Amino acid sequence: MSKRTKRAEQGFSLLEMVVVVGLAFTVMAFAVMNTMSSSQNSRANSAMDAVISQLRQARELAIAKRRNVQVQFTAPNLIQLTVLTLPGEAVPTPMQPVLLNDGVPGGAIFYVFPAPVTDTPMGFGNSTAISLQHPTGGGAWTVMFTTSGAFCGTAQSAASLYQATNNNPVNASLFLGVVGKPNTARAVTVFGATGRVRSYYWTGSSWQE
């Protein structure tokens, strides 16, 4: 009997089995990591799309209904739209608030990642996840789309909500992602004068639209 035949009859050695099992586990680990990364990126993209959708819906409502539409962002993950009626008008049914990723555990939230993640190319600021540039005068402000489609700030007192605010456009930056996962960093900006919405994702070294 030849040595080759004799070896074949003996089967695999323990060392060979250990090597094969080790390789299998390594391949499985890479597959799981890639799947998790893909899932996290999907959640981040979904959350960013929700922010964009709410902003555009608010702007379209304001223009179509000829009423200012307030946009309220509440940490960590809530967006609420409200149509601001004129005095004496019937108050419409409150709009359903939107939660990023439906509020699932481990989902994306409004969040500013530390360096090396930077401010967006628009440079509206990233000191907070919900970053709004206040009009001159500061104070307590909320933001809304006006009937012209501009994104403006207005004092939060009841009377001031009805004042013309076209001269007070504010620029906004909204940062979000899955905490601890810089690859999920996303950003949405709004240019106050026109209400234009732009979105960005972090490549690992810079923001790209």
Side-chain angles (χ1 to χ4, degrees):
M1 184 178 294
S2 66
K3 289 184 178 180
R4 181 175 297 179
T5 304
K6 196 171 184 179
R7 180 176 175 79
E9 290 178 350
Q10 291 175 342
F12 295 103
S13 69
L14 178 59
L15 178 59
E16 290 170 330
M17 289 294 292
V18 169
V19 170
V20 171
V21 171
L23 288 173
F25 273 108
T26 300
V27 172
M28 288 173 60
F30 277 114
V32 170
M33 290 173 60
N34 287 334
T35 300
M36 290 179 61
S37 178
S38 177
S39 176
Q40 291 161 355
N41 275 295
S42 178
R43 287 184 175 183
N45 289 334
S46 176
M48 180 176 67
D49 289 343
V51 173
I52 295 170
S53 175
Q54 288 294 289
L55 288 169
R56 289 177 175 166
Q57 181 183 352
R59 187 174 186 275
E60 290 169 5
L61 276 173
I63 294 172
K65 290 183 173 292
R66 304 298 298 168
R67 294 292 181 269
N68 295 337
V69 176
Q70 178 178 298
V71 186
Q72 181 179 15
F73 300 97
T74 304
N77 58 357
L78 186 142
I79 308 171
Q80 175 71 64
L81 304 186
T82 305
V83 177
L84 303 178
T85 56
L86 297 176
E89 286 186 335
V91 178
T93 302
M95 301 179 70
Q96 188 72 21
V98 170
L99 290 171
L100 304 184
N101 292 152
D102 295 323
V104 300
I109 62 173
F110 294 116
Y111 180 73
V112 177
F113 286 90
V117 181
T118 61
D119 192 5
T120 68
M122 298 299 288
F124 293 156
N126 66 336
S127 58
T128 60
I130 303 170
S131 180
L132 307 175
Q133 286 190 346
H134 294 172
T136 301
W141 301 91
T142 185
V143 286
M144 66 187 183
F145 283 99
T146 67
T147 56
S148 68
F151 195 58
C152 296
T154 179
Q156 291 182 332
S157 62
S160 298
L161 289 175
Y162 308 110
Q163 295 177 353
T165 57
N166 291 317
N167 61 332
N168 288 334
V170 293
N171 302 320
S173 290
L174 304 161
F175 298 90
L176 57 145
V178 178
V179 178
K181 307 296 180 183
N183 60 297
T184 67
R186 303 290 186 271
V188 177
T189 62
V190 188
F191 184 59
T194 62
R196 181 184 178 186
V197 178
R198 305 174 74 169
S199 60
Y200 303 86
Y201 68 93
W202 182 253
T203 66
S205 59
S206 63
W207 291 105
Q208 294 293 325
E209 288 194 66

XYZ file of all heavy atoms in Angstrom, residues 10-114:
788
model
N -6.227 7.277 6.812
C -6.105 7.773 8.174
C -6.976 9.006 8.430
O -7.305 9.313 9.559
C -4.642 8.122 8.486
C -3.746 6.889 8.570
C -2.304 7.276 8.757
O -1.926 8.424 8.501
N -1.485 6.317 9.178
N -7.411 9.732 7.368
C -8.227 10.930 7.512
C -7.396 12.155 7.863
O -6.168 12.150 7.713
N -8.085 13.217 8.337
C -7.395 14.465 8.655
C -6.787 14.406 10.046
O -7.352 13.801 10.955
C -8.377 15.644 8.589
C -8.919 15.890 7.212
C -10.209 15.490 6.888
C -8.147 16.513 6.247
C -10.717 15.724 5.629
C -8.644 16.749 4.980
C -9.934 16.345 4.659
N -5.678 15.110 10.182
C -5.053 15.196 11.499
C -5.784 16.239 12.344
O -6.553 17.061 11.832
C -3.581 15.584 11.359
O -3.474 16.927 10.904
N -5.563 16.214 13.649
C -6.196 17.174 14.557
C -5.798 18.602 14.197
O -6.621 19.521 14.217
C -5.783 16.859 15.991
C -6.319 17.816 17.071
C -7.840 17.823 17.057
C -5.780 17.425 18.438
N -4.540 18.796 13.839
C -4.055 20.130 13.483
C -4.791 20.667 12.260
O -5.193 21.836 12.211
C -2.542 20.076 13.217
C -1.902 21.407 12.777
C -2.110 22.478 13.844
C -0.411 21.203 12.488
N -4.979 19.791 11.270
C -5.678 20.210 10.058
C -7.121 20.600 10.371
O -7.660 21.585 9.840
C -5.649 19.090 9.017
C -4.258 18.861 8.426
C -4.189 17.601 7.577
O -4.942 16.648 7.884
O -3.404 17.598 6.619
N -7.773 19.854 11.249
C -9.145 20.162 11.625
C -9.230 21.507 12.351
O -10.133 22.311 12.126
C -9.691 19.055 12.541
C -9.952 17.743 11.823
S -11.280 17.884 10.620
C -12.673 18.122 11.709
N -8.256 21.748 13.235
C -8.231 23.014 13.976
C -8.064 24.188 13.019
O -8.728 25.230 13.144
C -7.099 23.006 15.019
C -6.901 24.409 15.610
C -7.402 22.011 16.126
N -7.189 24.044 12.025
C -6.957 25.107 11.043
C -8.227 25.382 10.250
O -8.621 26.535 10.046
C -5.801 24.728 10.104
C -5.721 25.724 8.944
C -4.486 24.692 10.858
N -8.898 24.322 9.794
C -10.127 24.486 9.005
C -11.225 25.170 9.819
O -11.894 26.089 9.347
C -10.623 23.109 8.490
C -12.014 23.247 7.873
C -9.651 22.539 7.479
N -11.409 24.723 11.072
C -12.423 25.324 11.929
C -12.100 26.796 12.211
O -12.977 27.662 12.202
C -12.549 24.540 13.253
C -13.446 25.290 14.233
C -13.100 23.148 12.995
N -10.821 27.091 12.439
C -10.401 28.467 12.690
C -10.700 29.369 11.514
O -11.183 30.491 11.674
N -10.403 28.871 10.299
C -10.686 29.653 9.091
C -12.187 29.888 8.933
O -12.623 30.972 8.549
C -10.134 28.927 7.862
C -8.606 28.921 7.711
C -8.196 28.023 6.548
C -8.092 30.341 7.477
N -12.976 28.865 9.240
C -14.433 28.991 9.118
C -14.968 30.063 10.063
O -15.811 30.886 9.688
C -15.099 27.648 9.402
N -14.458 30.061 11.309
C -14.909 31.052 12.275
C -14.477 32.462 11.869
O -15.202 33.429 12.086
C -14.366 30.719 13.672
C -15.247 29.782 14.439
C -14.857 28.465 14.662
C -16.472 30.199 14.933
C -15.675 27.587 15.369
C -17.296 29.335 15.647
C -16.893 28.020 15.865
N -13.296 32.586 11.286
C -12.815 33.894 10.832
C -13.711 34.448 9.739
O -14.097 35.625 9.755
C -11.373 33.781 10.310
O -10.529 33.303 11.360
C -10.866 35.133 9.833
N -14.054 33.590 8.773
C -14.936 34.011 7.683
C -16.305 34.414 8.233
O -16.890 35.425 7.823
C -15.091 32.880 6.640
C -16.167 33.241 5.621
C -13.768 32.622 5.943
N -16.818 33.632 9.189
C -18.116 33.937 9.787
C -18.077 35.266 10.539
O -19.025 36.055 10.481
C -18.531 32.816 10.744
C -18.941 31.529 10.069
S -19.234 30.189 11.255
C -20.543 30.905 12.246
N -16.973 35.545 11.236
C -16.844 36.790 11.989
C -16.879 37.995 11.054
O -17.550 38.995 11.333
C -15.554 36.782 12.796
N -16.155 37.897 9.922
C -16.161 38.981 8.942
C -17.551 39.186 8.374
O -18.004 40.321 8.163
C -15.168 38.703 7.816
C -13.751 39.100 8.148
C -12.756 38.137 8.265
C -13.408 40.431 8.341
C -11.448 38.487 8.575
C -12.106 40.800 8.652
C -11.118 39.826 8.765
N -18.256 38.105 8.123
C -19.605 38.192 7.574
C -20.549 38.890 8.542
O -21.356 39.735 8.156
C -20.127 36.800 7.234
N -20.446 38.544 9.835
C -21.299 39.160 10.854
C -20.987 40.647 10.982
O -21.894 41.488 11.068
C -21.110 38.455 12.215
C -21.800 39.253 13.329
C -21.661 37.037 12.158
N -19.706 41.005 10.985
C -19.308 42.402 11.094
C -19.826 43.214 9.922
O -20.325 44.333 10.088
C -17.780 42.512 11.191
C -17.199 41.999 12.503
S -15.385 41.962 12.511
C -15.011 43.679 12.242
N -19.726 42.660 8.717
C -20.210 43.361 7.532
C -21.715 43.533 7.578
O -22.254 44.571 7.185
C -19.809 42.602 6.262
C -18.328 42.725 5.957
O -17.689 43.699 6.360
N -17.772 41.755 5.248
N -22.415 42.513 8.072
C -23.868 42.594 8.175
C -24.291 43.656 9.170
O -25.211 44.446 8.914
C -24.447 41.228 8.603
O -24.103 40.240 7.637
C -25.967 41.305 8.723
N -23.600 43.718 10.325
C -23.917 44.716 11.342
C -23.654 46.120 10.823
O -24.448 47.031 11.032
C -23.094 44.454 12.608
C -23.497 43.204 13.366
S -22.465 42.926 14.831
C -22.795 44.399 15.780
N -22.527 46.311 10.136
C -22.189 47.619 9.589
C -23.223 48.058 8.561
O -23.650 49.208 8.534
C -20.797 47.575 8.953
O -20.463 48.822 8.371
N -23.655 47.117 7.720
C -24.665 47.421 6.709
C -25.980 47.807 7.357
O -26.659 48.743 6.923
C -24.858 46.208 5.790
O -25.870 46.442 4.848
N -26.351 47.105 8.433
C -27.596 47.393 9.142
C -27.550 48.776 9.790
O -28.524 49.536 9.744
C -27.844 46.323 10.201
O -28.986 46.622 10.970
N -26.408 49.130 10.394
C -26.265 50.433 11.035
C -26.331 51.565 10.012
O -26.980 52.593 10.241
C -24.949 50.482 11.808
C -24.935 49.580 13.035
C -23.530 49.277 13.526
O -22.539 49.669 12.906
N -23.432 48.588 14.658
N -25.685 51.372 8.869
C -25.731 52.384 7.824
C -27.137 52.541 7.271
O -27.574 53.644 6.936
C -24.758 52.022 6.696
C -23.346 52.485 6.981
O -23.071 53.679 7.067
N -22.429 51.553 7.127
N -27.845 51.426 7.177
C -29.223 51.474 6.698
C -30.093 52.285 7.651
O -30.938 53.084 7.217
C -29.769 50.046 6.557
O -31.117 50.059 6.139
N -29.884 52.084 8.952
C -30.645 52.851 9.942
C -30.316 54.337 9.854
O -31.207 55.187 9.948
C -30.352 52.331 11.347
C -30.982 50.990 11.672
C -30.736 50.584 13.112
N -31.450 49.349 13.444
C -31.460 48.803 14.643
N -30.783 49.361 15.630
N -32.136 47.686 14.858
N -29.042 54.655 9.679
C -28.639 56.057 9.586
C -29.251 56.715 8.352
O -29.741 57.846 8.417
C -27.116 56.154 9.542
N -29.236 56.012 7.235
C -29.816 56.558 6.008
C -31.323 56.748 6.151
O -31.883 57.747 5.686
C -29.522 55.634 4.821
C -28.066 55.666 4.408
O -27.367 56.658 4.642
N -27.581 54.597 3.803
N -31.971 55.786 6.805
C -33.413 55.876 7.021
C -33.753 57.079 7.900
O -34.726 57.809 7.632
C -33.926 54.589 7.664
O -35.307 54.686 7.960
N -32.965 57.296 8.949
C -33.195 58.428 9.847
C -32.981 59.745 9.109
O -33.757 60.696 9.274
C -32.260 58.329 11.051
N -31.933 59.820 8.315
C -31.666 61.036 7.544
C -32.803 61.313 6.568
O -33.247 62.454 6.414
C -30.340 60.906 6.787
C -29.981 62.140 5.964
S -28.345 62.016 5.178
C -28.642 60.671 3.992
N -33.305 60.273 5.918
C -34.427 60.436 4.985
C -35.663 60.959 5.703
O -36.427 61.754 5.145
C -34.748 59.101 4.303
C -33.679 58.676 3.309
O -32.865 59.532 2.905
O -33.652 57.482 2.941
N -35.867 60.515 6.958
C -37.020 60.981 7.728
C -36.906 62.474 8.022
O -37.896 63.218 7.933
C -37.129 60.195 9.039
N -35.696 62.934 8.364
C -35.474 64.355 8.633
C -35.751 65.171 7.378
O -36.465 66.187 7.408
C -34.038 64.607 9.128
C -33.769 66.106 9.244
C -33.802 63.929 10.469
N -35.198 64.726 6.265
C -35.394 65.437 4.998
C -36.869 65.481 4.621
O -37.398 66.518 4.210
C -34.577 64.756 3.879
C -33.081 64.874 4.171
C -34.902 65.376 2.513
C -32.218 64.019 3.254
N -37.551 64.352 4.767
C -38.968 64.262 4.428
C -39.804 65.231 5.254
O -40.693 65.923 4.727
C -39.458 62.829 4.630
O -40.846 62.730 4.416
N -39.540 65.309 6.557
C -40.299 66.197 7.432
C -40.056 67.672 7.087
O -40.988 68.482 7.070
C -39.934 65.937 8.889
C -40.476 64.626 9.433
C -41.984 64.612 9.496
O -42.597 65.298 10.316
N -42.619 63.863 8.620
N -38.814 68.013 6.797
C -38.489 69.394 6.430
C -39.180 69.788 5.129
O -39.772 70.872 5.029
C -36.977 69.558 6.303
C -36.182 69.535 7.613
C -34.686 69.434 7.332
C -36.485 70.783 8.447
N -39.117 68.922 4.158
C -39.744 69.238 2.866
C -41.260 69.267 2.974
O -41.920 70.101 2.340
C -39.274 68.228 1.814
C -37.810 68.451 1.437
C -37.293 67.425 0.443
N -35.928 67.767 0.035
C -35.113 66.941 -0.615
N -35.538 65.716 -0.946
N -33.893 67.323 -0.945
N -41.820 68.379 3.771
C -43.263 68.388 3.976
C -43.709 69.689 4.634
O -44.730 70.273 4.247
C -43.686 67.195 4.840
C -45.197 67.134 5.084
C -45.603 65.999 6.004
O -44.789 65.145 6.360
N -46.855 65.970 6.398
N -42.952 70.131 5.628
C -43.287 71.376 6.319
C -43.256 72.560 5.358
O -44.148 73.415 5.376
C -42.310 71.605 7.476
N -42.238 72.605 4.522
C -42.123 73.716 3.569
C -43.271 73.704 2.560
O -43.861 74.747 2.245
C -40.773 73.634 2.843
C -40.487 74.835 1.944
C -39.085 74.757 1.365
N -38.747 75.966 0.631
C -39.065 76.182 -0.639
N -39.727 75.248 -1.330
N -38.734 77.316 -1.240
N -43.592 72.521 2.051
C -44.679 72.414 1.076
C -46.026 72.786 1.701
O -46.856 73.440 1.062
C -44.725 70.990 0.519
C -43.538 70.664 -0.381
C -43.443 69.184 -0.714
O -44.354 68.423 -0.318
O -42.462 68.795 -1.372
N -46.250 72.378 2.965
C -47.487 72.723 3.664
C -47.603 74.233 3.839
O -48.685 74.811 3.652
C -47.531 72.044 5.029
C -48.036 70.609 5.099
C -47.845 70.055 6.512
C -49.506 70.539 4.701
N -46.508 74.864 4.234
C -46.531 76.308 4.468
C -46.903 77.064 3.196
O -47.708 78.008 3.232
C -45.161 76.764 4.972
N -46.341 76.651 2.082
C -46.624 77.334 0.815
C -48.052 77.043 0.350
O -48.781 77.939 -0.078
C -45.602 76.898 -0.253
C -44.201 77.389 0.139
C -46.000 77.439 -1.629
C -43.088 76.851 -0.748
N -48.453 75.767 0.453
C -49.766 75.366 -0.049
C -50.909 75.922 0.802
O -51.935 76.371 0.266
C -49.856 73.845 -0.103
N -50.766 75.901 2.137
C -51.836 76.342 3.028
C -51.774 77.827 3.347
O -52.674 78.361 4.009
C -51.790 75.533 4.335
C -52.196 74.077 4.173
C -52.198 73.360 5.508
C -52.755 71.952 5.380
N -54.200 71.963 5.063
N -50.704 78.484 2.932
C -50.502 79.897 3.229
C -50.515 80.150 4.734
O -51.069 81.127 5.233
C -51.591 80.745 2.548
C -51.692 80.559 1.044
C -50.424 80.962 0.333
N -50.114 82.378 0.531
C -48.946 82.935 0.206
N -47.956 82.188 -0.301
N -48.746 84.222 0.396
N -49.899 79.229 5.453
C -49.767 79.349 6.910
C -48.352 78.919 7.306
O -47.798 77.968 6.733
C -50.778 78.451 7.647
C -52.237 78.856 7.457
C -52.544 80.188 8.128
N -53.944 80.566 7.969
C -54.412 81.306 6.944
N -53.566 81.722 5.995
N -55.688 81.626 6.887
N -47.807 79.592 8.286
C -46.496 79.190 8.773
C -46.574 77.792 9.391
O -47.569 77.454 10.034
C -45.978 80.174 9.822
C -45.727 81.563 9.247
O -45.522 81.721 8.042
N -45.754 82.575 10.108
N -45.517 77.003 9.204
C -45.474 75.653 9.758
C -44.243 75.537 10.642
O -43.110 75.667 10.175
C -45.438 74.577 8.653
C -45.301 73.181 9.268
C -46.710 74.651 7.804
N -44.487 75.302 11.910
C -43.391 75.183 12.873
C -42.778 73.793 12.816
O -43.482 72.799 12.667
C -43.927 75.451 14.281
C -42.888 75.299 15.383
C -43.471 75.623 16.739
O -43.910 76.745 16.994
N -43.497 74.634 17.620
N -41.463 73.746 12.933
C -40.728 72.478 12.991
C -39.993 72.435 14.320
O -39.173 73.296 14.616
C -39.712 72.351 11.834
C -39.072 70.964 11.844
C -40.378 72.628 10.491
N -40.304 71.437 15.113
C -39.684 71.307 16.436
C -38.873 70.016 16.484
O -39.392 68.931 16.216
C -40.750 71.282 17.528
C -40.179 71.167 18.933
C -41.277 71.166 19.988
O -42.450 70.974 19.689
N -40.892 71.381 21.230
N -37.602 70.155 16.826
C -36.725 69.007 16.994
C -36.482 68.812 18.487
O -36.054 69.726 19.173
C -35.390 69.223 16.286
C -35.525 69.452 14.813
C -35.540 70.744 14.290
C -35.638 68.384 13.934
C -35.666 70.958 12.926
C -35.763 68.586 12.573
C -35.781 69.876 12.070
N -36.760 67.620 18.976
C -36.573 67.323 20.392
C -35.618 66.146 20.541
O -35.865 65.072 19.987
C -37.912 66.977 21.069
O -38.839 68.052 20.861
C -37.716 66.757 22.558
N -34.517 66.369 21.250
C -33.567 65.286 21.486
C -34.235 64.182 22.304
O -35.099 64.463 23.142
C -32.340 65.827 22.215
N -33.902 62.905 22.070
C -32.822 62.521 21.160
C -33.260 62.211 19.728
O -32.411 62.093 18.856
C -32.278 61.245 21.820
C -33.500 60.615 22.418
C -34.334 61.754 22.912
N -34.593 62.117 19.462
C -34.946 61.591 18.137
C -36.332 61.970 17.626
O -36.888 61.278 16.783
C -34.855 60.053 18.172
C -35.760 59.434 19.219
O -36.427 60.140 19.978
N -35.796 58.111 19.275
N -36.909 63.069 18.109
C -38.291 63.393 17.743
C -38.378 64.636 16.870
O -37.671 65.622 17.087
C -39.136 63.578 19.007
C -40.639 63.773 18.803
C -41.422 63.053 19.907
C -41.018 65.253 18.781
N -39.299 64.594 15.884
C -39.598 65.734 15.026
C -41.105 65.947 15.048
O -41.880 65.010 14.854
C -39.153 65.490 13.569
C -37.683 65.042 13.506
C -39.349 66.762 12.728
C -37.252 64.583 12.129
N -41.526 67.197 15.275
C -42.950 67.508 15.334
C -43.256 68.706 14.430
O -42.640 69.762 14.564
C -43.364 67.833 16.765
C -44.811 68.280 16.918
C -45.793 67.138 16.697
O -45.799 66.183 17.460
N -46.625 67.245 15.660
N -44.206 68.547 13.528
C -44.659 69.646 12.678
C -45.976 70.180 13.229
O -46.837 69.415 13.678
C -44.870 69.183 11.242
C -43.689 68.511 10.522
C -44.048 68.250 9.061
C -42.428 69.337 10.631
N -46.152 71.510 13.161
C -47.385 72.132 13.629
C -47.758 73.269 12.690
O -46.946 74.181 12.458
C -47.236 72.704 15.049
O -46.786 71.670 15.932
C -48.542 73.273 15.554
N -48.982 73.222 12.151
C -49.475 74.315 11.318
C -49.948 75.426 12.247
O -50.788 75.195 13.131
C -50.637 73.854 10.417
C -51.189 75.034 9.611
C -50.179 72.742 9.487
N -49.395 76.631 12.083
C -49.729 77.756 12.956
C -50.912 78.519 12.367
O -50.763 79.243 11.391
C -48.520 78.669 13.123
C -47.255 77.978 13.673
C -46.104 78.968 13.754
C -47.534 77.367 15.034
N -52.069 78.350 12.955
C -53.277 79.004 12.463
C -53.338 80.461 12.899
O -52.669 80.869 13.861
C -54.524 78.269 12.975
O -54.468 78.212 14.409
C -54.584 76.855 12.424
N -54.171 81.234 12.224
C -54.392 82.623 12.593
C -55.420 82.685 13.723
O -56.207 81.750 13.914
C -54.883 83.408 11.381
C -53.919 83.500 10.201
C -54.573 84.224 9.042
C -52.629 84.192 10.605
N -55.434 83.786 14.472
C -56.414 83.922 15.560
C -57.837 83.755 15.029
O -58.208 84.340 14.008
C -56.173 85.343 16.073
C -54.742 85.609 15.742
C -54.501 84.931 14.427
N -58.620 82.942 15.717
C -60.002 82.729 15.311
C -60.206 81.530 14.410
O -61.332 81.062 14.222
N -59.128 81.006 13.830
C -59.247 79.835 12.966
C -59.346 78.562 13.799
O -58.815 78.488 14.909
C -58.031 79.714 12.033
C -58.017 80.712 10.904
C -56.879 80.459 9.931
O -55.868 79.863 10.336
O -56.999 80.857 8.768
N -60.021 77.564 13.221
C -60.110 76.269 13.896
C -58.729 75.626 13.941
O -57.985 75.660 12.952
C -61.088 75.373 13.153
N -58.404 75.076 15.080
C -57.113 74.418 15.236
C -57.167 73.052 14.551
O -58.052 72.241 14.867
C -56.745 74.242 16.722
C -55.414 73.508 16.867
C -56.685 75.599 17.411
N -56.275 72.785 13.602
C -56.309 71.496 12.911
C -55.894 70.340 13.813
O -55.297 70.550 14.878
C -55.301 71.686 11.769
C -54.330 72.697 12.297
C -55.171 73.633 13.129
N -56.201 69.130 13.389
C -55.793 67.936 14.135
C -54.265 67.898 14.230
O -53.589 68.073 13.204
C -56.290 66.662 13.440
O -57.706 66.733 13.326
C -55.883 65.423 14.212
N -53.733 67.720 15.420
C -52.268 67.684 15.566
C -51.646 66.629 14.646
O -52.189 65.534 14.477
C -52.058 67.332 17.040
C -53.313 67.784 17.711
C -54.400 67.540 16.720
N -50.517 66.969 14.063
C -49.822 66.043 13.186
C -49.047 65.032 14.017
O -48.528 65.350 15.093
C -48.888 66.814 12.243
C -49.624 67.828 11.375
S -48.530 68.765 10.285
C -48.042 67.485 9.135
N -48.971 63.818 13.510
C -48.271 62.749 14.229
C -46.770 63.035 14.283
O -46.158 63.304 13.259
C -48.514 61.410 13.523
C -48.013 60.192 14.273
C -48.859 59.870 15.488
O -50.003 60.291 15.581
N -48.301 59.120 16.419
N -46.173 63.011 15.485
C -44.723 63.218 15.551
C -43.979 62.054 14.910
O -44.511 60.948 14.801
C -44.446 63.294 17.058
C -45.572 62.537 17.686
C -46.763 62.789 16.814
N -42.764 62.312 14.490
C -41.935 61.291 13.846
C -40.725 60.998 14.720
O -40.036 61.924 15.171
C -41.471 61.756 12.448
C -40.412 60.813 11.887
C -42.660 61.842 11.505
N -40.479 59.712 14.972
C -39.300 59.281 15.707
C -38.296 58.679 14.732
O -38.673 57.853 13.883
C -39.667 58.230 16.764
C -40.465 58.713 17.977
C -40.925 57.527 18.813
C -39.624 59.656 18.827
N -37.049 59.083 14.814
C -36.019 58.501 13.960
C -35.944 57.000 14.192
O -35.909 56.544 15.341
C -34.659 59.138 14.248
C -34.571 60.675 14.126
C -33.127 61.128 14.346
C -35.098 61.159 12.788
N -35.952 56.222 13.113
C -35.924 54.751 13.201
C -37.044 54.224 14.091
O -36.903 53.164 14.729
C -34.576 54.253 13.723
C -33.430 54.499 12.750
O -32.289 54.650 13.160
N -33.709 54.542 11.455
N -38.138 54.961 14.180
C -39.283 54.561 15.006
C -38.911 54.385 16.470
O -39.612 53.699 17.232
C -39.906 53.263 14.472
C -40.514 53.454 13.084
O -41.077 54.529 12.846
O -40.416 52.526 12.263
N -37.787 54.971 16.868
C -37.377 54.919 18.263
C -36.841 53.577 18.732
O -36.757 53.330 19.933
N -36.441 52.710 17.801
C -35.954 51.385 18.201
C -34.622 51.510 18.947
O -33.812 52.392 18.637
C -35.770 50.455 16.979
C -37.083 50.256 16.253
C -34.722 51.020 16.014
N -34.364 50.648 19.932
C -33.079 50.669 20.640
C -31.924 50.466 19.652
O -32.005 49.630 18.757
C -33.191 49.494 21.614
C -34.657 49.296 21.811
C -35.277 49.620 20.476
N -30.872 51.248 19.806
C -29.729 51.128 18.914
C -29.919 51.842 17.595
O -29.081 51.738 16.698
N -31.018 52.592 17.472
C -31.268 53.335 16.244
C -30.520 54.653 16.231
O -29.856 55.037 17.200
N -30.642 55.384 15.132
C -29.989 56.683 15.007
C -30.729 57.729 15.840
O -31.947 57.670 15.991
C -29.944 57.100 13.544
N -29.974 58.671 16.379
C -30.533 59.787 17.140
C -29.815 61.063 16.700
O -28.823 61.023 15.979
C -30.366 59.594 18.659
C -28.866 59.535 19.021
C -31.090 58.352 19.136
C -28.604 59.513 20.523
N -30.324 62.221 17.142
C -29.610 63.462 16.903
C -28.350 63.431 17.761
O -28.417 63.337 18.989
C -30.477 64.665 17.265
C -31.681 64.829 16.375
C -32.963 64.725 16.883
C -31.516 65.077 15.025
C -34.066 64.872 16.055
C -32.612 65.217 14.181
C -33.894 65.114 14.692
N -27.200 63.504 17.112
C -25.946 63.271 17.837
C -24.784 63.879 17.065
O -24.702 63.742 15.836
C -25.728 61.767 17.999
C -24.466 61.378 18.737
C -24.337 61.553 20.112
C -23.390 60.828 18.049
C -23.182 61.194 20.784
C -22.224 60.460 18.709
C -22.121 60.645 20.081
O -20.974 60.289 20.725
N -23.884 64.547 17.793
C -22.661 65.095 17.196
C -21.503 64.171 17.521
O -21.179 63.964 18.696
C -22.342 66.510 17.731
C -21.027 67.011 17.144
C -23.447 67.476 17.357
N -20.886 63.615 16.504
C -19.727 62.750 16.722
C -18.495 63.605 17.003
O -18.335 64.691 16.442
C -19.473 61.878 15.484
C -20.465 60.761 15.309
C -21.618 60.961 14.578
C -20.251 59.516 15.883
C -22.551 59.953 14.415
C -21.171 58.493 15.739
C -22.321 58.709 14.999
N -17.606 63.130 17.866
C -16.383 63.876 18.156
C -15.428 63.836 16.966
O -15.663 63.121 15.989
C -15.803 63.127 19.363
C -16.313 61.720 19.211
C -17.698 61.857 18.634
